[in-house]
Amino acid sequence: MADVVQFKLERMLDELEDLDRRGLFSKQEIAEIVKQRRKFEYRLKRPSPLKQDYLTYIDYEKQLDALRILRRKSFLKKSGDKKLKKSVSDYAGVSRILEIYRLATTRFKGDIELWFQYLEFCKARGHGRMKKALAQLVRFHPKVAGVWIYAAAWEFDNNLNVAAARALMQNGLRTCPTSEDLWVEYLRMEFTYLNKLKARKVALGEDEGTLARVQGNADDKQWRDENKELFMALNENGEVGGVQNGESEGKVDVFGEHGLNILETVYTSAIEALPKAFGLRTRFLDMLEATELARSEEMRKKILDDMRRDFSEEPLYWDWLARVEIADVKRINSEQLGKAVEVYEQGLQFVPSARMVELYVKFLMDAVSDENREGEIAGEIVSHLKVLFERAENLGCVTEDLACQYVSFLLNLGKLDEAKILLEKLCSGKFPDAVHLWTLRLSVEMKCIQNKSPSPSKADLLYIFQLLRNILMKVSVSEAEDLWTMGLKYFANHRHHFDKLVEASFSSLTRDGGSDSGFSLSSTIVNFILERDGVDSSRQMYKRFLALPHPGLALYKNCIELELNLASTGDKTGLPNARKIYESALATYDQDASLWQDYHSMEVKMGSSETAAAVHWRARKALKDNIALVPGSNS
């Protein structure tokens, strides 16, 4: 390995001598360059070099070459020479970077990102290796549509080779016929080339500033022959022809006709390959509307008819079709709203599903959310929403998410009483265990009580408690995080109901167990009691929770943190209590390396060297294969 590295360094001798002779780098700097390159070369010669090794080497060489260029420009400015003959050092940097990229892509052939970095560097430097690198990439990754698009774009934009770009695109479509992007980019490329020909013909004055020509002109055949490659077929059997003599009389927009032929051919082939790709049809429509083609309205109608035939059972189609009605409208009016609603109503007849209703509701809510919306339109939208929700109930299409959206909508409109009635109906009917709806219901009930009186009565408190307890007993603790937090906050200053809620938590935690991470109900209750009643009460409470069958790691950690905070303020019982909790936790979680680490760290900071050493020895014994995870394990 050393011989190979030394050989490579010796091959750099001419370059380094040239840098020294031209005064671009000092001898000390050149020595440092050699040192760094030796280090990088040794890394690359390891049995399994990393991708980062190559990238770091490349980054170093790029910075070095950028510095050389700056110093060369400074030298030219000082010497007054307008031009300096290029020598070996002007080419060696780029060549070395390209060679490192070649080695990297040879080793990591499957890394697309690395390949594109390689290609972008070749493109930026205008290096001739670009074509070879692209050919290799296409050979290694023929199933990646982006590779074909990139290669065709390079041929089209940089080499101005339309035939090669088209051949690449068509080969890509044969290899990746299910790529939407490839179909769209192919059509875009053909339209771009057509526009270039169109601009050229006008610039030459051949059409007197127009895009029309009289058929039967003697130049027709010659022009078509010169540009016949524009309309190469997508397969070996078909051809896309131009406008032939005798098709129509008078003037014909030849470019518009050719563009339409291209679109028809690509569109037909694309929907055969991707019959269920709804997004592809919409992208074709967008391109059609952005391009001036002959008989574009006929083509647009054909695409829309095909979409209706193929996607009339898809809710997304009707949603798209309705939004098209107001696509170019900054401020919707009653007439445009009516057109969109009519489309959605048709969609509901074809697809009476929850998804269709959700899209319909989202459209109406988006329409009414505009602050500048007129009151009459807003009222009309609200009436549509009410009718739609009733229809959804009749169709059996109401989901929990849809119900929450509608309730939230009513609340935003200030219709608190209507929202309350609806929530009572939903929670006692179709969604008795829907946590989100119950959360909304309780918040609405609490707000209604607050609006009635600043301080709730005993009857009000009992009513809220019974509602809350009923749902909490049905669902798991992890699902009801918001409900538990809401209840504890609401009853924090009402000891009787708060204590009852705490007792209910013991039943739930006994049933579901505590949490090892995330929300911990027991920890939340301990913190509430600590803030309200002080340290002694919170200690009594956490001891009761720790006595449950599975208290959860989150509670252990919370209690340890509480005791350590007390110990830091001078409480002499804090550290012994923390040790007891650690021991209790490790009885269950003795394979948790982080718990051992925390225990060891506590003893190092607050205990003695003997207790820290004892914890470390026990951790090594318990973890066995995970010794490296314990601090000080290498000592």
Side-chain angles (χ1 to χ4, degrees):
M1 182 170 68
D3 293 342
V4 175
V5 171
Q6 185 62 31
F7 175 71
K8 284 197 170 187
L9 292 174
E10 288 175 0
R11 294 184 63 184
M12 303 174 191
L13 187 60
D14 291 342
E15 172 199 352
L16 298 173
E17 287 179 347
D18 188 53
L19 292 173
D20 182 32
R21 184 171 57 256
R22 300 170 76 178
L24 298 179
F25 289 92
S26 66
K27 292 187 181 297
Q28 290 80 5
E29 288 174 325
I30 290 174
E32 180 62 24
I33 291 171
V34 173
K35 179 181 176 182
Q36 291 296 324
R37 285 179 175 173
R38 177 180 284 108
K39 180 182 72 174
F40 287 126
E41 291 291 345
Y42 270 112
R43 284 185 183 178
L44 299 190
K45 290 302 175 185
R46 293 187 299 178
S48 298
L50 304 175
K51 174 185 171 182
Q52 191 59 39
D53 295 333
Y54 292 95
L55 294 179
T56 306
Y57 195 180
I58 289 168
D59 187 56
Y60 172 78
E61 289 295 341
K62 284 181 178 179
Q63 293 181 32
L64 183 63
D65 197 52
L67 178 60
R68 181 195 62 77
I69 292 171
L70 286 174
R71 290 187 177 181
R72 185 175 183 274
K73 289 181 179 179
S74 177
F75 177 78
L76 289 174
K77 190 175 181 180
K78 288 180 181 178
S79 64
D81 294 338
K82 294 183 179 179
K83 216 170 185 183
L84 184 66
K85 187 177 179 181
K86 290 190 175 182
S87 59
V88 63
S89 62
D90 294 305
Y91 305 101
V94 174
S95 297
R96 183 170 297 102
I97 294 170
L98 289 171
E99 179 61 17
I100 301 168
Y101 267 127
R102 186 190 67 79
L103 293 172
T105 52
T106 300
R107 181 167 186 83
F108 302 100
K109 294 183 180 68
D111 195 320
I112 296 290
E113 182 184 355
L114 182 61
W115 275 104
F116 280 122
Q117 289 181 28
Y118 182 17
L119 294 172
E120 284 298 311
F121 182 79
C122 292
K123 183 192 290 187
R125 295 308 179 101
H127 200 274
R129 192 179 289 188
M130 178 75 174
K131 192 166 186 177
K132 183 178 180 181
L134 262 179
Q136 289 178 321
L137 177 58
V138 169
R139 187 170 72 252
F140 290 138
H141 299 281
K143 294 295 183 180
V144 179
V147 168
W148 295 102
I149 295 172
Y150 187 95
W154 181 74
E155 289 287 358
F156 188 86
D157 297 328
N158 294 80
N159 285 356
L160 305 180
N161 191 339
V162 181
R166 184 179 294 110
L168 283 167
M169 278 292 195
Q170 292 173 355
N171 285 334
L173 287 170
R174 293 186 186 102
T175 308
C176 310
T178 58
S179 170
E180 292 185 26
D181 291 336
L182 203 52
W183 285 106
V184 171
E185 291 305 319
Y186 175 64
L187 182 60
R188 196 190 312 279
M189 184 191 75
E190 293 289 10
F191 279 172
T192 302
Y193 182 45
L194 193 63
N195 285 333
K196 287 183 177 182
L197 291 179
K198 179 180 182 180
R200 175 181 176 274
K201 196 167 183 67
V202 173
L204 292 175
E206 297 178 14
D207 279 345
E208 300 294 334
T210 71
L211 298 179
R213 67 188 181 89
V214 179
Q215 290 198 2
N217 191 315
D219 294 335
D220 283 357
K221 187 175 185 303
Q222 181 182 352
W223 186 88
R224 285 199 301 273
D225 291 341
E226 289 175 355
N227 298 284
K228 62 183 179 180
E229 76 282 358
L230 175 61
F231 311 110
M232 290 177 66
L234 290 177
N235 51 56
E236 290 81 357
N237 299 324
E239 288 188 358
V240 183
V243 179
Q244 303 298 328
N245 292 336
E247 286 185 3
S248 62
E249 296 180 358
K251 291 187 176 182
V252 175
D253 181 359
V254 66
F255 292 104
E257 290 287 347
H258 280 312
L260 183 65
N261 289 339
I262 293 171
L263 177 58
E264 287 179 338
T265 302
V266 176
Y267 171 75
T268 303
S269 300
I271 63 172
E272 286 178 4
L274 294 164
K276 297 300 181 182
F278 176 73
L280 182 61
R281 312 281 183 99
T282 61
R283 293 168 77 177
F284 278 137
L285 270 177
D286 292 340
M287 293 184 70
L288 175 62
E289 292 172 0
T291 310
E292 295 181 6
L293 301 177
R295 306 192 308 276
S296 59
E297 281 303 316
E298 294 179 17
M299 189 64 195
R300 185 176 187 275
K301 184 177 182 303
K302 172 179 170 53
I303 296 176
L304 288 173
D305 290 344
D306 290 347
M307 290 174 72
R308 188 180 185 92
R309 180 196 66 206
D310 296 336
F311 300 103
S312 59
E313 300 297 326
E314 296 290 337
L316 282 176
Y317 163 71
W318 295 102
D319 182 56
W320 170 83
L321 194 60
R323 291 179 183 273
V324 166
E325 295 290 342
I326 58 169
D328 300 324
V329 178
K330 294 182 179 179
R331 189 170 182 178
I332 189 172
N333 57 37
S334 182
E335 182 182 356
Q336 291 148 351
L337 176 64
K339 290 180 179 178
V341 166
E342 185 179 349
V343 174
Y344 277 113
E345 292 294 335
Q346 291 179 19
L348 270 177
Q349 292 177 5
F350 276 88
V351 196
S353 65
R355 180 58 177 159
M356 188 71 239
V357 175
E358 287 174 359
L359 291 171
Y360 192 177
V361 168
K362 187 177 186 305
F363 167 78
L364 292 173
M365 288 186 172
D366 290 344
V368 81
S369 63
D370 189 351
E371 294 180 0
N372 299 321
R373 190 74 66 228
E374 298 174 0
E376 182 181 350
I377 298 297
E380 190 177 345
I381 294 172
V382 171
S383 64
H384 280 304
L385 273 169
K386 289 182 178 179
V387 172
L388 176 59
F389 190 77
E390 291 174 0
R391 285 188 61 192
E393 283 188 303
N394 295 332
L395 293 171
C397 296
V398 178
T399 61
E400 181 182 352
D401 183 59
L402 182 61
C404 289
Q405 286 185 50
Y406 187 63
V407 170
S408 300
F409 175 68
L410 291 176
L411 293 175
N412 290 335
L413 294 179
K415 300 180 181 294
L416 190 64
D417 293 334
E418 289 186 31
K420 179 182 175 182
I421 294 170
L422 178 61
L423 283 166
E424 289 177 0
K425 178 182 176 182
L426 292 169
C427 292
S428 59
K430 188 175 181 180
F431 303 103
D433 302 331
V435 174
H436 294 299
L437 281 174
W438 273 99
T439 304
L440 280 172
R441 182 182 180 184
L442 284 163
S443 64
V444 168
E445 294 286 358
M446 292 174 183
K447 192 169 183 180
C448 289
I449 291 172
Q450 185 180 2
N451 291 341
K452 184 174 63 175
S453 172
S455 56
S457 65
K458 290 184 178 179
D460 292 333
L461 290 172
L462 180 60
Y463 175 66
I464 295 294
F465 178 78
Q466 288 176 341
L467 283 178
L468 183 61
R469 191 178 187 283
N470 287 340
I471 182 63
L472 291 178
M473 293 298 101
K474 292 180 181 178
V475 298
S476 66
V477 172
S478 59
E479 292 177 315
E481 175 182 348
D482 292 338
L483 284 170
W484 279 107
T485 305
M486 180 190 298
L488 291 170
K489 287 180 179 178
Y490 189 75
F491 294 112
N493 297 321
H494 304 282
R495 185 177 293 274
H496 175 70
H497 292 292
F498 185 87
D499 291 343
K500 281 190 171 183
L501 197 58
V502 170
E503 293 303 321
S505 73
F506 280 98
S507 300
S508 296
L509 290 169
T510 301
R511 179 192 65 201
D512 301 329
S515 171
D516 290 340
S517 61
F519 173 72
S520 171
L521 174 59
S522 50
S523 298
T524 304
I525 293 173
V526 168
N527 292 336
F528 264 100
I529 293 177
L530 175 65
E531 184 177 347
R532 190 188 67 180
D533 299 332
V535 174
D536 293 337
S537 297
S538 64
R539 278 175 171 166
Q540 291 176 8
M541 183 56 64
Y542 81 59
K543 287 177 182 177
R544 290 184 63 191
F545 281 124
L546 291 176
L548 293 176
H550 182 72
L553 185 58
L555 176 63
Y556 284 115
K557 290 184 175 181
N558 185 71
C559 296
I560 290 167
E561 183 180 359
L562 186 154
E563 293 294 350
L564 291 179
N565 289 336
L566 293 174
S568 63
T569 61
D571 189 324
K572 295 183 179 179
T573 61
L575 183 59
N577 285 338
R579 285 174 176 152
K580 289 179 182 177
I581 299 170
Y582 266 122
E583 294 297 334
S584 179
L586 288 169
T588 305
Y589 302 98
D590 63 326
Q591 294 301 307
D592 191 315
S594 63
L595 192 62
W596 283 107
Q597 288 176 349
D598 294 340
Y599 193 5
H600 181 263
S601 298
M602 183 195 75
E603 293 294 352
V604 170
K605 294 176 183 177
M606 306 179 72
S608 62
S609 58
E610 289 80 4
T611 56
V615 170
H616 182 256
W617 180 84
R618 290 173 57 200
R620 288 174 61 92
K621 185 177 179 181
L623 295 176
K624 296 179 183 177
D625 295 336
N626 297 327
I627 293 175
L629 297 174
V630 183
S633 61
N634 296 324
S635 59

